[in-house]
C-alpha cells in the first residue's frame, strides 16, 4: 500500500507526525500508479460503451485510460475529489470538449454501437441524442417558452406551431415545472429562481428527445429544497432516459443513482452498484474517500 | 419505455433530415464572416497601395544640370564682394542666361519664357547659396544641378503623357523638344529629393517640403505632452486612488467618458473661443494647438492611466500601508512606479491620436500658408496633417505626389509611436 | 510674455533653494535627533518649497491672464477721447494696428501720430508690467517661503501638510475634465445666443435653405432663408447612413468571425491589422476618398450610365464607413466576449451549430451592447470632419440621393470659420450654433450609448 514506505517511516519518527500526516505520506498514499479499474465496468446491454478514453489538456494528462459502460434507463453517478476528471469524462460523452482549445481526446466511445469519436461524426446530431445540463443554470435571455422551444426549433423537430407548443408543454410537465410557469410562459427565463431555472434547463434538454442526459453537478448552486425537487425529477426521468450525473456530494449519489463510478486524479478507480460502493467498497481509495479520510 | 425510444427515434430522424440545410447555412455564415474580415483588410490594402503608389516618387526629384557663367557684371557690378550686395543680386538672370546659351535658337518672349519654365524658380537661390559660400566662383563658369520645374518632373515621372495632344498637356511641344535634347545630352537626371525634407511649404511644388509642418507638429506635440501627461496622471491618481465615491466624482467620471467621444472639431471651437478670442493667444501658433490637443487627449490618457492603476493589485497598497506608509506614500512610492509603463503606453497612444488630428487645428488657424519653418511655440506654424489637407487642396498634379509622400511620413511617425507603445507594453507587462 | 520662461526658471530655482533650507532647518531644530521630527526631513524641505512656489505661480497665471486686458484699457484711456467713443469693432482694428506696431509687423495703413504714441505707451506699460510681475512673484515667493520656513518645529506635521497640498493639486487636475466641458458649453453657447439674436431659433432648426454667404452685409443678417440648417442635417444623416451601412455589417461580422470562428493565429494577425484602420488619421481617409474613391465611383457610375457627382455622398460615406469598421468591430468584440461562456455551452450542448448559437443566443444576448456600440459609431460619424471636408460638397442640397453632392454640419463649421473672418458676423456665429447642435447631439448619443452598455455589462456581472 505505502509505495514510499521509507519516507513514511522517516516522517513518522518525528514527534507529532502521527496526528498530522505530513505531505510525503499524503502523496505516497493517494498519488499512486493506477492498476486498472475495480468492479463491473461492462454491462450486457449498454447505451454507451467507452473504451480506453484518454484526455489531455495541453501537457496535462487529465484522464487516463477510462473504460466504462452506461446502461439503459439507469442513473450513473460519478464521484471523486475535485480535479479527478469526472466532469472531463462527462464532457467527452457528447464531445463538448471539442469547444475547449488545446483539449485532445482519444479512445473509443460507442453510442448504440456507433463510435461517436470518428472524425466524420457530426457533433450536432450527436448532441441532439446526448443532451446536457450544466452546473450553473444557464437559461438563454429569452422567454420561458422560447427557452424550451430553442432545441426543437433549431433541429426542426416540430412540423407546426401546435406541435411545437405540445413539445414545450410536455417537456415542462416532464420537468415538473409546468404548474409553476404555465401562466407566464412569455416571461424571461432568467427571471425564475435558481431551482426553477435548472429545471427549465432540464426541460430544454428533454425537449429534443435525447437518449442520454448528462448532468454536471446540476444541484451545486441550489438550495436543499430545489435540490430535492431536481433529485426527484432525475428519478422520474430514469424511466425514459439514461442519465449520467457528476456530483460532488456522495449523499446525492447515494440518493439518486443505481450505479456509481469513483474517479481519482484522472483514473477511474472503481465502478459498482451504488449500494455496494457505499456499503462495501472494494478499493482502498474508494473507502478512504467515502469514509471521509480525504477529499 | 418503447414509446419513449420511439419518439427519440422519430426526432432523431428529423434532426438528420435537417442537417444538410443547416450545414449549408453554417458554411454561408462562416463565409460571410470571412468576407467581412477580407473586405476590411482589402480596404486597408487598397488604401496603402493607393497612397504609396502615388507618393513614393516624391522622394526623387528631376534635376537639370546647367553650365552657369557667374557674370560679375550682373551680380556684383561694384566688385566689392559686399555680402549685402551678393545676397540681393539677381541670380535668376544668370540661370536664364545659361538656358539661353544652351538653346541659342530660342527667340521671342513667349518661347523664352517657356524655356525659363523648365527649371524651378528656386534655381537662383541654389546659385546664390553657392556664391555666398564661395565668392571666388564669381567670374567662372560652373556646372550647377538644379531642380526642374514640377511639370518637367511630372513628365519625367510619367504622369504626363508625351503622346497626348499638345492642348491636353502642361508641357508644350517646344518644351518637350528641349527636354528631349537635355535627355540626349545627359543633362537631365533624378536624385533623392532633399528639398522635400529641408524646405518649408511653397507655392512651387518642386520646392515645397514638410520641414515646416514637421517642426510645427513637433512643437505642438511637445506642448501637448508637457501638459497632458502630468495633468492626466494626477487626475487618474486622484480618481482611482483617493476619490470618495460620491456625486461629484461620478460627475467627473461621466464627463471624462463623454469628452472622449466629443467630436474633435468641437474642441477646435473651444480653442478658438477661449484661447484665441478670450485669452488673445496668437493665432496659428503651436502653443494654442498644443493646448487644444491637450484637452482632447486628456480623457484618453486618463482612462488608460486609470486602467494601469487598476491593474496594480491591492496587495501592493496593503503591503505599503501595513508597514506604516501614509496612503499618499503608498501610492507615490509603490503603486505609481508599477503603473507607470501602462500610463506611458496610454500617453503615447494619445500622442499618436493628437499627431493625426486635423480638424481642431483648422479652427485655430494653423491652416494658413506658412513658408517659414517655425522656431518656437509662439511662431505661426502648421502641422503635418494640416499640410496634407492644404496640399490635397492644391490643383497642381505634382502636389498629389507630395500629399501622398507627406502622408507616408505621417504614417511612419504614427507607426513608430504605436510600435513604441506595443514594445513598452510587452517589455513591462506584468501578470499578477 | 517672452520673459515668462525666465521667470518660471527663477521661481523653480528659488523653490529648490527653499527645499534645501527647509531640510537643513529640520535637521537643525531636531538637534541631531532626526527621530524626534514628526516627518522625514525631506518633507520639511518640500513644505517650504511648495509654499514658496505655489502662490507665486498662481499670481503669475492670473497676471498673464489679465495683463493684456488691463494694459489695453489703460492705453485706450490714455488716447484722445474720440477713440474711446469708437464702436468695439473699429476700436479692435485700431488696437490691432497698435499691437502690430509694438511687435514690429506691417501695419494696415500708414500709422498716424496718435497710434504711434499709443504704441509707445503700450510698450512702456508692458515694460512696467513685466518688471512689476517679476518683483511681485519673486517677492511673494520669498515671503511665503520665509513664513513656511519659520513654521518648522520638530512637532510640525510637514508630511500631512505636504500631502494636503499634493491632494489639492490632484483634485484640481481631476476637475479639468469638468472645466473642459463647461468651457465647451459656454464658448459655443455664448456665440450661439448672439447668433440666435440675429436669426430665430425656429428658422435655424426648421429652415430649408442654407446659404450663409449671402449674409455678408449686416442689414442682411438673418434675411429669410439664409440660415436654415435642415439641408445640413439631411446631408449629415445621409452620409452617416451610408457609413453605417458599410461599417455595421462588416464590423459586426468580422468581430463575430474573429471572436467565434478564427483560429488563434488568424486572430493574432487580422485583429491588429483591422485596428490599423482606426489609427489612420482622418485626413488620410479624406485624401483617399477625394483622390481614389470618388473618381472610381464616378467612373463606374458613368459606365452604368449613372450621373454621379464627383463629390458624391456615396464616396464620403463609403470611406467614412471604412474608417468606422474597426470602431464597430472592437466594441462589438468586447460585448460579444462579455456574453458568458455558459450560454454558449448551453447552446452547443443542445446541438446548435456555431452560426445558430451566434444568431439565436449570442447576438440576442449581446444586442443591447451592440446597439450601444452602433450609437457610439453614429456619434463618431456625425462628428467626423476631415473626410467630409475633403470629399463631400459645399452646396447645401436637400436630397436623399447618394449620388449627389451634399454638405454636412461639420463641413459648414469648417468653411465658415477657416479663412478671413470677422468675428461678429452671423456667418461665423452660425458655425458656433452648428457646433452647439453637434455637441449636444453627440453628447446625447454618447450618454445613451454608455448607459445602455453599462446596463448590459451589469446584467452579466
Amino acid at each position: 500500500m505505502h509505495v514510499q514506505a521509507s519516507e513514511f517511516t522517516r516522517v513518522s519518527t518525528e514527534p507529532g507526525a502521527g496526528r498530522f500526516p505530513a505531505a510525503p505520506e499524503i502523496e505516497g498514499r493517494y498519488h499512486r500508479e493506477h492498476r486498472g479499474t475495480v468492479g463491473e465496468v461492462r454491462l450486457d446491454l449498454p447505451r454507451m460503451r467507452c473504451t480506453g478514453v484518454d484526455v489531455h489538456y495541453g501537457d496535462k494528462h487529465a484522464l487516463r485510460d477510462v473504460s466504462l459502460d452506461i446502461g439503459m434507463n439507469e442513473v450513473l453517478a460519478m464521484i471523486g475529489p475535485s480535479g479527478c476528471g469526472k466532469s472531463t469524462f462527462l464532457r467527452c460523452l457528447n464531445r463538448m470538449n471539442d469547444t475547449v482549445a488545446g483539449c485532445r481526446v482519444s479512445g473509443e466511445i460507442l453510442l448504440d454501437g456507433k463510435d461517436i469519436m470518428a472524425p466524420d461524426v457530426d457533433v450536432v446530431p450527436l448532441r441532439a441524442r446526448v443532451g446536457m445540463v450544466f452546473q450553473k443554470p444557464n437559461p438563454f435571455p429569452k422567454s420561458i417558452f422560447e427557452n424550451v422551444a430553442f432545441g426543437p426549433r433549431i433541429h426542426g423537430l416540430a412540423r407546426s406551431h401546435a406541435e411545437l407548443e405540445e413539445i414545450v408543454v410536455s417537456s415542462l410537465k416532464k420537468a415538473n415545472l409546468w404548474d409553476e410557469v404555465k401562466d407566464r410562459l412569455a416571461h424571461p427565463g432568467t427571471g425564475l429562481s435558481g431551482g426553477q431555472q435548472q429545471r427549465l434547463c432540464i426541460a430544454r434538454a428533454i425537449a429534443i428527445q435525447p437518449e442520454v442526459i448528462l448532468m454536471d453537478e446540476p444541484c451545486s448552486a441550489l438550495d436543499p429544497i430545489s435540490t430535492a425537487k431536481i433529485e426527484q425529477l432525475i428519478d422520474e426521468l430514469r424511466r425514459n432516459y439514461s442519465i449520467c450525473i457528476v456530483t460532488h456530494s456522495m449523499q446525492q449519489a447515494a440518493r439518486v443513482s443505481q450505479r456509481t463510478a469513483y474517479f481519482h486524479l484522472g483514473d477511474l478507480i472503481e465502478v459498482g452498484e451504488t449500494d455496494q460502493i457505499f456499503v462495501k467498497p472494494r478499493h482502498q481509495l474508494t473507502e478512504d474517500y467515502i469514509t471521509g479520510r480525504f477529499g | 419505455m418503447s414509446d419513449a425510444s420511439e419518439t427519440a427515434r422519430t426526432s432523431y430522424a428529423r434532426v438528420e433530415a435537417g442537417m444538410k440545410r443547416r450545414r449549408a447555412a453554417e458554411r454561408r455564415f462562416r463565409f460571410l464572416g470571412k468576407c467581412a474580415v477580407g473586405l476590411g483588410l482589402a480596404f486597408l490594402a487598397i488604401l496603402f497601395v493607393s497612397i504609396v503608389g502615388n507618393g513614393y516618387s516624391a522622394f526623387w526629384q528631376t534635376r537639370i544640370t546647367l553650365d552657369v557663367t557667374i557674370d560679375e557684371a550682373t551680380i556684383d557690378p561694384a566688385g566689392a564682394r559686399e555680402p549685402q550686395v551678393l545676397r540681393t543680386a539677381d541670380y535668376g538672370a544668370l540661370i536664364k542666361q545659361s538656358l539661353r546659351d544652351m538653346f541659342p535658337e530660342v527667340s521671342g518672349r513667349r518661347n523664352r519664357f517657356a524655356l525659363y519654365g523648365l527649371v524651378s524658380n528656386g534655381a537662383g537661390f541654389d546659385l546664390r547659396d553657392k556664391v555666398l559660400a564661395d565668392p571666388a566662383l564669381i567670374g567662372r563658369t560652373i556646372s550647377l544641378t538644379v531642380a526642374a520645374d514640377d511639370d518637367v518632373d511630372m513628365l519625367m515621372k510619367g504622369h504626363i503623357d508625351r503622346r497626348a495632344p499638345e492642348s491636353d498637356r502642361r508641357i508644350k511641344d517646344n518644351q518637350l523638344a528641349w527636354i528631349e535634347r537635355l535627355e540626349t545630352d545627359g543633362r537631365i537626371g533624378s536624385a533623392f529629393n532633399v528639398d522635400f525634407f529641408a524646405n518649408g511649404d511653397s507655392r512651387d511644388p518642386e520646392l515645397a517640403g514638410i520641414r515646416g509642418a514637421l517642426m510645427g507638429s513637433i512643437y505642438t506635440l511637445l506642448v501637448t505632452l508637457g501638459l497632458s501627461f502630468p495633468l492626466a496622471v494626477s487626475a487618474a491618481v486622484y480618481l482611482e486612488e483617493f476619490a470618495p465615491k460620491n456625486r461629484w466624482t461620478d460627475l467627473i467620471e461621466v464627463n471624462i467618458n463623454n469628452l472622449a467621444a466629443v467630436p474633435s472639431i468641437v474642441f477646435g471651437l473651444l480653442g478658438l473661443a477661449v484661447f484665441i478670442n478670450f485669452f488673445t493667444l496668437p493665432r496659428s501658433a503651436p502653443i494654442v494647438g498644443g493646448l487644444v490637443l491637450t484637452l482632447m487627449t486628456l480623457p484618453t490618457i486618463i482612462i488608460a492611466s486609470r486602467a494601469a492603476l487598476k491593474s496594480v493589485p491591492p496587495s501592493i497598497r496593503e503591503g505599503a500601508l501595513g508597514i506604516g506608509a501614509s496612503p499618499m506614500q503608498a501610492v507615490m512610492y509603490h503603486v505609481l512606479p508599477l503603473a507607470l509603463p501602462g500610463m506611458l503606453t496610454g500617453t503615447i497612444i494619445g500622442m499618436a491620436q493628437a499627431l493625426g488630428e486635423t480638424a481642431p487645428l483648422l479652427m485655430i488657424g494653423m491652416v494658413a500658408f506658412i513658408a517659414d519653418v517655425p522656431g518656437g511655440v509662439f511662431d505661426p506654424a502648421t502641422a503635418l496633417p494640416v499640410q496634407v489637407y492644404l496640399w490635397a487642396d492644391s490643383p497642381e498634379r505634382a502636389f498629389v505626389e507630395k500629399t501622398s509622400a507627406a502622408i507616408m511620413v505621417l504614417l511612419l511617425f504614427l507607426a513608430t509611436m504605436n510600435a513604441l507603445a506595443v514594445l513598452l507594453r510587452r517589455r513591462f507587462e506584468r501578470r499578477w | 510674455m517672452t520673459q515668462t520662461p525666465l521667470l518660471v526658471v527663477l521661481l523653480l530655482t528659488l523653490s529648490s533653494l527653499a527645499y534645501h533650507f527647509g531640510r537643513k532647518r529640520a535637521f537643525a531644530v531636531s538637534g541631531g535627533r532626526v527621530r524626534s521630527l514628526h516627518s522625514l526631513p525631506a518633507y520639511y524641505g518640500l513644505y517650504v518649497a511648495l509654499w514658496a512656489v505655489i502662490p507665486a505661480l498662481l499670481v503669475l497665471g492670473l497676471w498673464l491672464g489679465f495683463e493684456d486686458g488691463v494694459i489695453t484699457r489703460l492705453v485706450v484711456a490714455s488716447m484722445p477721447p474720440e477713440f474711446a467713443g469708437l464702436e468695439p469693432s473699429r476700436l479692435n482694428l485700431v488696437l490691432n494696428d497698435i499691437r502690430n506696431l509694438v511687435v514690429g509687423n506691417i501695419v494696415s495703413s500708414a500709422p498716424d501720430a496718435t497710434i504711434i504714441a499709443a504704441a509707445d505707451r503700450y510698450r512702456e506699460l508692458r515694460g512696467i508690467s513685466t518688471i512689476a510681475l517679476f518683483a511681485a512673484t519673486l517677492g511673494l515667493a520669498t515671503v511665503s517661503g520665509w513664513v513656511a520656513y519659520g513654521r518648522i518645529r520638530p512637532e510640525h506635521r510637514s508630511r500631512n501638510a505636504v500631502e494636503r497640498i499634493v491632494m489639492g493639486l490632484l483634485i484640481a487636475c481631476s476637475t479639468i475634465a469638468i472645466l473642459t466641458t463647461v468651457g465647451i458649453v459656454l464658448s459655443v453657447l455664448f456665440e450661439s445666443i448672439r447668433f440666435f439674436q440675429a436669426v430665430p431659433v425656429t428658422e435655424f432648426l426648421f429652415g430649408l435653405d442654407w446659404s450663409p454667404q449671402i449674409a455678408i452685409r449686416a442689414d442682411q443678417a438673418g434675411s429669410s432663408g439664409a440660415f436654415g440648417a435642415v439641408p445640413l442635417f439631411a446631408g449629415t444623416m445621409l452620409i452617416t447612413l451610408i457609413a453605417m451601412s458599410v461599417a455595421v455589417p462588416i464590423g459586426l461580422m468580422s468581430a463575430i468571425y474573429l471572436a467565434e470562428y478564427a483560429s488563434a493565429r488568424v486572430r493574432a494577425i487580422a485583429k491588429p491589422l483591422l485596428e490599423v484602420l482606426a489609427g489612420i488619421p482622418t485626413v488620410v481617409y479624406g485624401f483617399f476618398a477625394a483622390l481614389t474613391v470618388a473618381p472610381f465611383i464616378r467612373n463606374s457610375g458613368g459606365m452604368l450610365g449613372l450621373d454621379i457627382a464627383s463629390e458624391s455622398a456615396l464616396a464620403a460615406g463609403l470611406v467614412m464607413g471604412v474608417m468606422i469598421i474597426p470602431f464597430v468591430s472592437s466594441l462589438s468584440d468586447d460585448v460579444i466576449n462579455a456574453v458568458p461562456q455558459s450560454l454558449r455551452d448551453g447552446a452547443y450542448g443542445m446541438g446548435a451549430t456555431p452560426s445558430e448559437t451566434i444568431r439565436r443566443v449570442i447576438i440576442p444576448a449581446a444586442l443591447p451592447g451592440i446597439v450601444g456600440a452602433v450609437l457610439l459609431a453614429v456619434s463618431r460619424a456625425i462628428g467626423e470632419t476631415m473626410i467630409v471636408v475633403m470629399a463631400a460638397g459645399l452646396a447645401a442640397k436637400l436630397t436623399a440621393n447618394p449620388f449627389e453632392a451634399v454638405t454636412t454640419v461639420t463641413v459648414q463649421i469648417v468653411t465658415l470659420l477657416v479663412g478671413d473672418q470677422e468675428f461678429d458676423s452671423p456667418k461665423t456665429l452660425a458655425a458656433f450654433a452648428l457646433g452647439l447642435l453637434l455637441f449636444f447631439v453627440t453628447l446625447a448619443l454618447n450618454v445613451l450609448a454608455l448607459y445602455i452598455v453599462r446596463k448590459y455589462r451589469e446584467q452579466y456581472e
Side-chain angles (χ1 to χ4, degrees):
Chain A
M1 187 82 240
H2 302 301
V3 183
Q4 294 170 320
S6 60
E7 278 201 30
F8 180 66
T9 35
R10 186 178 58 77
V11 169
S12 67
T13 53
E14 287 168 19
R19 264 183 300 155
F20 302 105
E25 192 215 1
I26 293 173
E27 292 237 335
R29 190 166 175 143
Y30 298 120
H31 195 179
R32 47 183 287 286
E33 272 307 304
H34 175 54
R35 299 188 192 113
T37 307
V38 177
E40 297 79 26
V41 171
R42 294 298 177 210
L43 296 174
D44 290 339
L45 202 64
R47 173 125 272 162
M48 298 189 84
R49 166 160 287 176
C50 309
T51 313
V53 175
D54 275 75
V55 180
H56 293 261
Y57 289 116
D59 296 336
K60 193 175 172 249
H61 201 164
L63 205 60
R64 266 187 299 268
D65 191 24
V66 172
S67 297
L68 181 62
D69 281 2
I70 296 151
M72 309 267 187
N73 308 92
E74 72 162 358
V75 177
L76 170 66
M78 303 181 189
I79 58 171
S82 303
C84 66
K86 52 193 194 296
S87 285
T88 302
F89 178 67
L90 191 77
R91 291 168 67 92
C92 290
L93 298 178
N94 68 346
R95 289 188 41 187
M96 274 302 276
N97 281 327
D98 287 13
T99 59
V100 179
C103 178
R104 296 191 315 282
V105 184
S106 60
E108 188 186 58
I109 302 176
L110 302 178
L111 172 61
D112 292 336
K114 281 200 204 92
D115 189 5
I116 64 166
M117 300 289 289
D120 60 325
V121 168
D122 191 336
V123 296
V124 168
L126 166 68
R127 288 174 191 161
R129 296 172 69 187
V130 184
M132 188 155 190
V133 175
F134 295 86
Q135 181 169 8
K136 207 178 138 232
N138 56 352
F140 301 134
K142 299 165 180 282
S143 70
I144 294 169
F145 182 89
E146 285 301 324
N147 259 288
V148 183
F150 179 83
R153 270 194 209 277
I154 58 167
H155 292 301
L157 298 185
R159 292 277 182 267
S160 65
H161 192 75
E163 202 178 338
L164 183 67
E165 268 177 32
E166 196 192 307
I167 294 175
V168 171
V169 172
S170 78
S171 305
L172 284 170
K173 279 181 178 158
K174 281 186 204 155
N176 292 345
L177 192 61
W178 173 248
D179 292 332
E180 292 159 62
V181 301
K182 64 181 175 217
D183 302 324
R184 43 173 176 153
L185 290 178
H187 288 225
T190 44
L192 297 172
S193 74
Q196 289 172 325
Q197 284 188 11
Q198 196 60 296
R199 275 179 286 151
L200 180 63
C201 291
I202 294 174
R204 194 173 69 181
I206 58 186
I208 43 178
Q209 298 293 347
E211 295 159 46
V212 182
I213 302 176
L214 311 176
M215 297 187 175
D216 191 355
E217 305 199 19
C219 303
S220 65
L222 304 181
D223 60 276
I225 294 170
S226 304
T227 301
K229 283 186 180 162
I230 300 233
E231 285 175 2
Q232 186 199 346
L233 173 59
I234 290 172
D235 199 50
E236 288 168 16
L237 290 176
R238 178 165 70 91
R239 274 176 281 145
N240 293 322
Y241 309 96
S242 301
I243 294 171
C244 285
I245 176 168
V246 163
T247 175
H248 63 277
S249 149
M250 283 177 274
Q251 289 81 354
Q252 184 172 55
R255 286 193 298 265
V256 299
S257 69
Q258 283 75 53
R259 285 202 310 149
T260 295
Y262 172 66
F263 285 77
H264 184 90
L265 295 176
D267 294 314
L268 176 55
I269 303 296
E270 182 170 354
V271 186
E273 300 286 324
T274 301
D275 294 342
Q276 172 257 309
I277 291 269
F278 282 97
V279 176
K280 206 170 165 325
R282 282 167 281 188
H283 197 288
Q284 185 65 42
L285 276 173
T286 319
E287 184 181 336
D288 285 356
Y289 181 68
I290 286 175
T291 52
R293 295 263 189 91
F294 70 94
Chain B
M1 177 178 150
S2 69
D3 177 45
S5 57
E6 191 60 38
T7 49
R9 241 193 305 286
T10 51
S11 82
Y12 182 61
R14 287 182 178 180
V15 172
E16 279 291 324
M19 279 317 294
K20 203 174 157 207
R21 181 184 51 77
R22 289 168 70 194
R23 284 195 196 106
E26 176 66 25
R27 274 196 300 275
R28 272 199 307 278
F29 192 76
R30 190 187 261 263
F31 177 71
L32 278 180
K34 266 189 195 152
C35 281
V37 176
L39 267 175
L41 297 181
F43 283 131
L44 185 67
I46 293 171
L47 182 71
F48 271 97
V49 168
S50 142
I51 299 291
V52 174
N54 274 310
Y56 76 96
S57 56
F59 297 110
W60 280 269
Q61 190 180 37
T62 307
R63 299 181 76 85
I64 298 174
T65 310
L66 304 173
D67 293 325
V68 187
T69 307
I70 305 173
D71 179 25
E72 186 168 13
T74 313
I75 58 166
D76 194 14
R81 303 286 187 270
E82 270 185 50
Q84 182 61 33
V85 175
L86 290 183
R87 201 169 291 136
T88 52
D90 184 7
Y91 294 91
L94 295 181
I95 301 284
K96 286 173 188 167
Q97 181 60 47
S98 82
L99 281 166
R100 277 202 302 276
D101 293 347
M102 212 181 301
F103 298 98
E105 74 279 9
V106 179
S107 62
R109 247 176 73 87
R110 284 188 57 171
N111 283 341
R112 285 209 173 141
F113 205 72
L115 178 64
Y116 301 154
L118 289 184
V119 297
S120 162
N121 292 332
F125 299 112
D126 286 357
L127 184 58
R128 183 190 68 184
D129 292 345
K130 255 202 152 85
V131 172
L132 283 177
D134 181 12
L137 289 175
I138 294 175
R140 287 166 46 191
T141 300
I142 59 166
S143 168
L144 182 72
T145 305
V146 296
D149 185 67
D150 59 307
D151 287 332
V152 179
D153 190 41
M154 287 296 103
L155 181 85
M156 296 304 290
K157 284 171 179 166
H159 296 309
I160 294 178
D161 185 4
R162 297 185 187 207
R163 283 183 299 279
E166 188 181 9
S167 55
D168 290 359
R169 266 192 262 125
R170 284 182 58 89
I171 294 282
K172 299 305 166 197
D173 282 346
N174 52 357
Q175 289 178 306
L176 200 55
W178 300 326
I179 292 169
E180 274 160 8
R181 227 177 85 199
L182 287 172
E183 274 178 315
T184 47
D185 290 353
R187 286 183 172 275
I188 195 159
S190 128
F192 183 71
N193 192 349
V194 181
D195 287 348
F196 183 68
F197 294 99
N199 289 3
D201 197 6
S202 168
R203 300 282 185 210
D204 295 316
E206 74 274 10
L207 295 177
I210 54 166
R211 178 103 188 274
L214 205 57
M215 291 313 290
S217 271
I218 288 173
Y219 284 126
T220 309
L221 281 195
L222 280 179
V223 174
T224 309
L225 181 65
L227 289 172
S228 64
F229 182 67
L231 286 178
V233 169
S234 311
V237 165
Y238 175 70
L239 292 174
E240 196 58 41
E241 301 288 337
F242 300 116
K245 194 90 191 97
N246 59 25
R247 272 217 205 125
W248 175 246
T249 49
D250 273 355
L251 184 68
I252 294 179
E253 286 226 43
V254 171
N255 246 297
I256 289 172
N257 286 332
N258 281 321
L259 280 180
V262 166
S264 60
I265 193 169
V266 173
F267 285 97
L269 290 175
L270 168 78
L272 176 60
V274 172
F275 298 128
I276 294 186
N277 287 335
F278 188 73
F279 285 115
T280 62
L281 288 170
R283 272 177 78 87
S284 312
I287 178 85
V288 183
L291 282 168
V292 170
L293 293 181
T294 298
L295 296 184
M296 224 191 75
T297 49
L298 264 183
T300 313
I301 308 179
I302 293 179
I303 291 169
S305 302
R306 291 188 65 176
L309 286 168
K310 211 172 270 173
S311 72
V312 177
S315 58
I316 303 277
R317 290 173 194 89
E318 284 156 11
L321 294 177
I323 55 167
S326 71
M328 184 75 80
Q329 285 170 321
V331 170
M332 294 296 168
Y333 297 119
H334 300 277
V335 179
L336 204 53
L338 291 172
L340 212 53
M343 293 175 162
L344 283 176
T345 311
T347 308
I348 294 173
I349 288 168
M351 288 301 113
Q353 230 178 52
L355 175 60
E357 201 50 70
T358 323
L361 303 185
L362 300 186
M363 298 290 95
I364 55 159
M366 288 184 84
V367 68
F369 172 79
I370 290 151
D372 294 330
V373 176
V377 294
F378 289 99
D379 289 352
T382 178
L384 212 41
V386 184
Q387 188 70 72
V388 169
Y389 168 68
L390 284 170
W391 282 349
D393 247 12
S394 307
E396 287 92 346
R397 174 64 183 77
F399 271 124
V400 169
E401 112 182 344
K402 295 276 167 182
T403 313
S404 304
I407 288 177
M408 285 162 74
V409 173
L410 178 60
L411 291 182
L412 189 74
F413 269 91
L414 288 176
T416 314
M417 289 168 90
N418 280 304
L420 198 66
V422 170
L423 209 70
L424 204 65
R425 192 177 292 156
R426 290 255 170 87
R427 175 85 178 67
F428 289 100
E429 191 171 53
R430 257 179 234 241
R431 297 237 172 261
W432 301 95
Chain C
M1 198 176 282
T2 45
Q3 310 289 329
T4 314
L6 173 68
L7 184 54
V8 171
V9 169
L10 279 179
L11 281 176
L12 290 181
T13 320
L14 203 63
S15 86
S16 56
L17 275 178
Y19 173 80
H20 177 74
F21 284 124
R23 207 162 151 262
K24 250 184 129 171
R25 164 121 174 144
F27 278 115
V29 296
S30 71
R33 290 171 303 119
V34 177
R35 289 206 67 113
S36 71
L37 294 172
H38 169 269
S39 313
L40 293 171
Y43 278 104
Y44 291 90
L46 266 179
Y47 176 70
V48 180
L50 285 174
W51 261 105
V53 77
I54 288 176
L57 279 181
L58 276 180
V59 168
L60 174 65
L62 287 176
W63 196 292
L64 290 181
F66 292 101
E67 182 184 36
D68 198 60
V70 172
I71 291 182
T72 310
R73 201 155 300 163
L74 286 176
V75 169
V76 172
S78 76
M79 284 163 83
E82 67 264 27
F83 279 97
L86 279 177
E87 55 182 291
S89 55
R90 291 270 303 120
L91 187 61
N92 261 331
L93 286 179
V94 173
L95 286 173
N96 253 336
D97 280 355
I98 295 174
R99 285 204 195 96
N100 279 335
L101 255 184
V102 171
V103 187
N105 280 353
I106 309 128
V107 183
S108 58
S109 57
D112 62 33
T114 350
I115 306 273
I116 291 177
D120 285 341
R121 176 108 180 99
Y122 190 93
R123 206 175 289 138
E124 181 191 341
L125 284 172
R126 274 292 273 283
I128 295 174
S129 159
T130 306
I131 293 168
L133 174 62
F134 269 70
T137 48
L138 294 176
L140 182 63
T142 317
V143 170
S144 59
W146 184 255
V147 170
Y149 183 79
R151 283 201 203 128
I152 294 179
R153 310 255 180 288
E155 65 278 9
H156 183 257
R157 297 171 167 243
S158 294
R159 184 175 54 71
N160 306 41
V162 167
E163 288 184 354
R164 263 201 305 281
I165 295 172
V166 172
M167 187 69 89
L169 289 178
L170 293 185
I171 292 175
C173 289
S174 70
T175 54
I176 284 185
I178 296 208
L179 289 181
T180 309
T181 308
V182 171
I184 289 175
V185 171
L186 288 187
S187 57
V188 292
L189 200 63
F190 273 127
E191 311 294 347
S192 303
I193 288 171
R194 285 167 67 194
F195 173 72
F196 290 129
Q197 282 164 356
V199 179
V201 182
T202 47
E203 190 188 316
F204 176 71
L205 286 180
F206 305 113
L208 298 181
D209 191 16
W210 176 269
S211 47
Q213 303 301 339
I214 314 174
I216 291 168
R217 287 206 326 274
D219 58 308
Q220 227 178 351
S223 66
S224 65
F227 287 101
V230 170
L232 309 189
F233 305 153
T236 308
M237 288 299 163
L238 180 61
I239 289 183
T240 304
L241 198 72
I242 296 170
M244 284 301 126
S245 48
V246 173
V248 171
I250 296 184
L252 193 56
M253 276 311 287
S254 48
I256 288 171
Y257 184 79
L258 291 178
E260 304 285 330
Y261 284 110
S263 66
R265 259 189 54 212
V266 171
R267 195 164 41 236
I269 296 168
K271 224 174 142 178
L273 275 180
L274 275 183
E275 272 160 21
V276 167
L277 281 174
I280 293 176
T282 54
V283 70
V284 177
Y285 282 107
F287 179 64
F288 176 62
L291 182 81
T292 310
V293 178
F296 173 75
I297 288 178
R298 191 179 154 76
N299 293 340
S300 32
M303 266 185 266
L304 297 172
L306 289 169
D307 183 29
I308 300 179
S310 60
E311 298 188 316
S312 63
L314 189 60
L318 204 69
V319 172
M320 194 188 279
V322 172
M323 182 197 86
I324 293 175
I325 288 174
F327 196 72
V328 174
S329 86
S330 74
L331 284 172
S332 308
D333 191 49
D334 285 353
V335 293
I336 287 171
N337 281 328
V339 173
Q341 182 63 29
S342 68
L343 287 186
R344 285 185 186 85
D345 282 349
Y348 286 132
M350 299 184 62
T353 64
S355 69
E356 285 160 352
T357 307
I358 292 162
R359 279 183 309 189
R360 291 171 183 257
V361 177
I362 296 178
I363 300 223
L367 198 60
I370 292 172
V371 168
V374 171
L375 283 182
L376 282 177
V378 167
S379 130
R380 166 154 301 201
I382 290 177
E384 172 45 41
T385 309
M386 291 321 292
I387 294 177
V388 281
V389 164
M390 295 169 82
L394 287 178
K397 204 184 287 176
L398 195 56
T399 175
N401 181 355
F403 299 137
E404 284 192 61
V406 294
T407 190
T408 72
V409 172
T410 48
V411 171
Q412 289 304 316
I413 295 179
V414 171
T415 2
L416 293 176
L417 285 183
V418 169
D420 297 326
Q421 40 164 304
E422 279 176 75
F423 207 69
D424 291 333
S425 81
K427 195 182 121 186
T428 42
L429 294 179
F432 283 90
L434 290 175
L436 179 73
L437 206 72
L438 185 64
F439 178 70
F440 277 110
V441 168
T442 51
L443 184 74
L445 281 172
N446 295 335
V447 171
L448 187 65
L450 290 176
Y451 175 78
I452 293 176
V453 171
R454 191 196 289 182
K455 277 274 160 258
Y456 164 74
R457 287 267 152 84
E458 280 166 4
Q459 184 190 333
Y460 290 120
E461 259 165 18

